[in-house]
Structures are given as C-alpha cells and as structure tokens.
Amino acid sequence: MRNHNSFFASLVLVCATAAILLTQTGCMDCTWRCTAGEPSRANYVRWQNYLKVRTAEPDEPIATTQTQISNVSPEMAAAKIAQALESYDAELGYRLSSVFEIANTDALEGEGTRPAITDVVVNGHYYYVAFLDYPAGEVNRAAYEQTKRTIPAVAVVDAEDETRPAWIRTADEEGNPYAIKVYMGVQTSGWDDQNIYRFLRNRGYRTYGSHRLDNPTLEFDENWRPYFTVTYCDDDGWGAEIGTAFFPESLLVVDIQLETMQEYALDDPNTEANERADNIPDWVDQIYSPELILDWIGHWGYNPENYGKTSNLDRFIVDGGRLDQVMNAANTNLVFVAYITSTQQDNSTVGVMLVNPRSGNATYYPTQGVERAMATKSAAANAIRQAAIRWEYDVEDLTLHTIYGVRTWEGVLTRPAFDNDGERYGSLYAATVLLRADHYVHPAGAIWANNRHEAFTRYEEYLYLRQTTRVGSNVLEDEEVTGTVGEVQRVVLGGDTSFLLRLEGHPGELWGVSLGYLGNPQTEDVLTVEPGDEVFMMYGDPQNRDTYIVREISRR
C-alpha cells in the first residue's frame, strides 16, 4: 500500500524548499502551485512576452505572397527528386540513384524519420531542396569510401511551377563543383563524425542538460553555396523556477564543404540589452527554428488569470501542431504561419499568426466576428477531400493567402506515386484547388482545375458572381453597359453552361454569362436573348481572362 503520509511530507518539503529559494532570489512576488512540474505564475508571465506580437488592423491582408505561391507539396517534391536521381549524370560518371538517396531527418517526437526536404528562397524564388545521403547498410559502406565521403550534388525542385521536373545541381552559381563533406547522415550517425549531429557535438553543441539543438536545416546563399543553419537554445526553467521554456542562445552556420562553423549570438529575451549579432547573413531564411516558435506561441497564448485553475478559458492550440512555411508578401523570405484554434472541438480558427523566422516578431490576425470568422485548416482540408472524393484525390500543401482581396486556402490535389514494388515514394500533381476561408467551408465551394491559371480564373469568377452573398470580396468593381446584341453563343465550360455575347459597336469585346441555376433572376433573361435585343448588363473585368464576367443581365 502506498505511504500517503510520506508522499505529503515530501510535497511539503518541496514547497518549503521552493519558498526558501524564492526568498534568496528575490522572487517572493511569484505565485506558486505545489504541483510537480508546474511553472510559477511569474514564469508564465515572463515567457509569454518572449514572442513580440503585433495585432493586425481589421481589414489588413494576410502578409503572405500573392504572386509566388508554392504549387508543389513536399510529397510532390520527393517524387520529382526520385525521378531525377534515376537520370545518368555524364559529369559524375555514374547514376546518382545507384549511390545516393534522399536523406532523412532525425525522428521527431511522435513521428518517424522523413525526407530531408527543405523550403528555401534563393534570389527571390521559392524552391524545395533535398540533401542526398548514403543509404543505410554495410553494402553501401563501399560507396561511402569510393566517393571519399564527399557528396557531389543536391536536388532542387521549383516550388512555384508544378510542371517543371526536379534537377540535380552539381555546382554553385559560380561554377565551383560541390564537394559536400558534412551531411544529414542519420543513416551513418553511429560511426561517421561528418553527420551534422556528431559534427556539432564534437564542437560542444548538442541537446543535453538545459540546451537544445534545433532543426539542422539545409540553406543556400544567393550563389547556391550550401550551408547548415541550426538554432541553439537554452532552457529558462532554471533553479527553483519549475517548468520549461526555451530561448535562443545562438545561430550556428556550418559551411558543409569547408567543414567550418560560425556562431552568431541571438538576443536573450530575459535581458533589456540586445545581444544579437549584427552580421548574420541576409540569405539565412530560418534564424529562429519552428520548434522554438511553437514553444513561444504556446506560452504567448497562456492566460495568467487561469493560473491554479482547471478552466481552459482563452487557451488555444495550433491547428495540427505544425507551422506552414510560405513566401512573405515582399517575395524575399520565408514566413511561418500558425492557425490558432481553441481547445474545444468547434472547427473555428481564433486567429492566424505570421512569424518572421529571421526576427522572431509576429503579426496576429484575429478571425472572430461576422466578417472575419474562419473555419480551421483541418475543416478546409476535409471539405476539399469531400469535394474531390469521386476522383480519390488528396489535398496537400494547403496554405492561407489573400487572393483577389479574399482570405483563401490554396493547395494542390494529388495522387499517390508508387514504385515498381508498390511502395509509395511521394505524390503526383493532379490539380490546383482554391477554397474561400469562410466561417463555414463547404465542398461545393472548392474550385479546382488541372492548371493553376485556370483554377485562379474560375475562382475569380466564383468570387465575383457570389460577392452579394457575403461582404468581403473586392475582386472586381461593377461596371455597366447597355447595347444591342449582335451575336449569342452557348458554350459548356467546366461542365457549366455559359453564354457568350457580343454587342454592336463594341468590336473585340466579349461578355460571358454563367447560367448559375435555373430561376436565377439576375441571369435567367440570357436564356431568351437573341441578336437584335437590347440588353443591360452589370459586369466585372477580370485579370485572368479576356471575357468580361456578367453577374446581371436584363432585356430592355
């Protein structure tokens, strides 16, 4: 039988010891709970200020790019790279797939390893890049020795163009051949000091004690020279202040060809001074790791008024527990995106947070109220899957953007890619999909086409024709015209019936009327319009097509 008296005696001793330590450190203003592992209230308050957050104005657009949206998922990139590795490279003298495979990352908590495919921005363009690595197993130790433990190439995928195949880079932009000597090396981590974890450990950097080594990431400078960037963090749950919160200590930049490392100090949020080095290279996309940002978002969202209570009032979680990575609105760098939802199963998004991984600063976009209410990303993905279930598509790389003035989910519909043995090795592109980020997402609102231009064209028309149902679309301004019909054509576009009209005195101009549904009072007159009739039309001038979009027509 458990000795309860002994247990409570130990608990009293812990609380008494904590009180003594607090007196010695001048922290008697701290509120303490005698619960093992629970941080002090003072810790919660301090930690929630680590992330510097600005609240956006009510009508402020989401600051992600509208011109260079990724149309390739990491799974699609993996399939493209696997195909590229099969190609014979005359410069190397052997087929890359006979020696190398896509590297794997280390196992994350609750997950296995995954392909080491990284988002990067080089010279203002969005790419995926993949490390190559030696496959596991003694049979490949010979290849490791024959190549003199040097990897001569990286794989690159254009993240903005789903039609472009992957390619293999064997040199930087100045023509210097790659000779990569520090690599992900998960497969060889037990015996190879050149994998990034052992390389850093040999220099005193590892996840141990109060320190955490975050997310070794392959990045490139503007000349396509490769590096590893790593965020090195320290634990702020020191001394008697029970609990854990990490803050950045330094950024490690490893030249994986010269086998050298540069350490750059980062700002400690616990001090008033700014310790951050002012010479961190501009090409580094991720100074602050996703792991650190997720920690900070969690602490930022804690409500200190709930301290010592069981209520979940105002608490939230990050939808999916992961951050999206997209281009920022300036098309110069990556930005992390977190979709914040409540602890309740209500499928609603409380707000969207954009975090700059270079500065650690964030912008919070509240999504509450009639005009801004938004369902979760998970709900949007499920609605798209239901819309495409007949074709057995999956939806990948779903990210949030302001498109035509409207908050919109954009992603790709894919099919799985299987090799000759029936093993899946990635995904194949099927279509681009767009869905308005409303409070209620419905499969009927998913707009897709097998190329991006057509998908955006259909979505522009969809928004314009339905802008009277809910305020918020500024995609097109209404224009009016009255004239005599010279020609009428009935066409079927994407399974929908439309009518194309020409007016006398308007050479070269074409008006398109989508029937919508029978009995629609705004468009039903088009069914009886004939050449010679005088009509009035209200229309918009779209960006992606030569035909005006008519949302109201009537005979005069």
Side-chain angles (χ1 to χ4, degrees), residues 134-151:
Y134 302 94
E138 289 298 321
V139 69
N140 292 297
R141 183 69 179 263
Y144 173 82
E145 299 294 343
Q146 289 170 346
T147 57
K148 299 179 181 178
R149 69 172 181 82
T150 300
I151 298 176

Side-chain angles (χ1 to χ4, degrees), residues 25 91 164 380 406 430 443 480 540:
T25 57
E91 294 180 5
R164 191 177 181 186
V406 179
E480 299 178 358

Side-chain angles (χ1 to χ4, degrees), residues 403-417:
I403 299 175
Y404 302 131
V406 179
R407 290 180 180 178
T408 302
W409 296 107
E410 192 272 350
V412 287
L413 297 178
T414 64
R415 293 183 184 276

Side-chain angles (χ1 to χ4, degrees), residues 354-385:
L354 267 62
V355 184
N356 184 338
R358 281 190 55 84
S359 67
N361 295 331
T363 301
Y364 180 68
Y365 300 82
T367 55
Q368 304 173 57
V370 176
E371 299 301 330
R372 293 181 292 173
M374 197 175 90
T376 62
K377 176 180 177 179
S378 302
N382 287 334
I384 294 171
R385 289 190 185 97

Side-chain angles (χ1 to χ4, degrees), residues 453 457-458 460-461 493 541-547 549:
H453 182 270
T457 297
R458 293 182 185 179
E460 184 181 33
E461 178 180 13
L493 299 173
D541 187 1
Q543 299 177 18
N544 289 329
R545 64 202 307 176
D546 297 329
T547 305
I549 303 174

Side-chain angles (χ1 to χ4, degrees), residues 40-82:
S40 68
R41 186 180 187 279
N43 266 8
Y44 276 134
V45 172
R46 182 172 74 250
W47 294 344
Q48 69 177 187
N49 291 320
Y50 282 1
L51 188 65
K52 305 304 179 184
V53 182
R54 177 187 73 87
T55 300
E57 296 298 323
D59 297 326
E60 187 174 335
I62 300 290
T64 55
T65 183
Q66 299 182 51
T67 58
Q68 292 171 281
I69 298 173
S70 172
N71 211 37
V72 178
S73 70
E75 292 78 11
M76 285 171 57
K80 287 173 177 278
I81 292 167

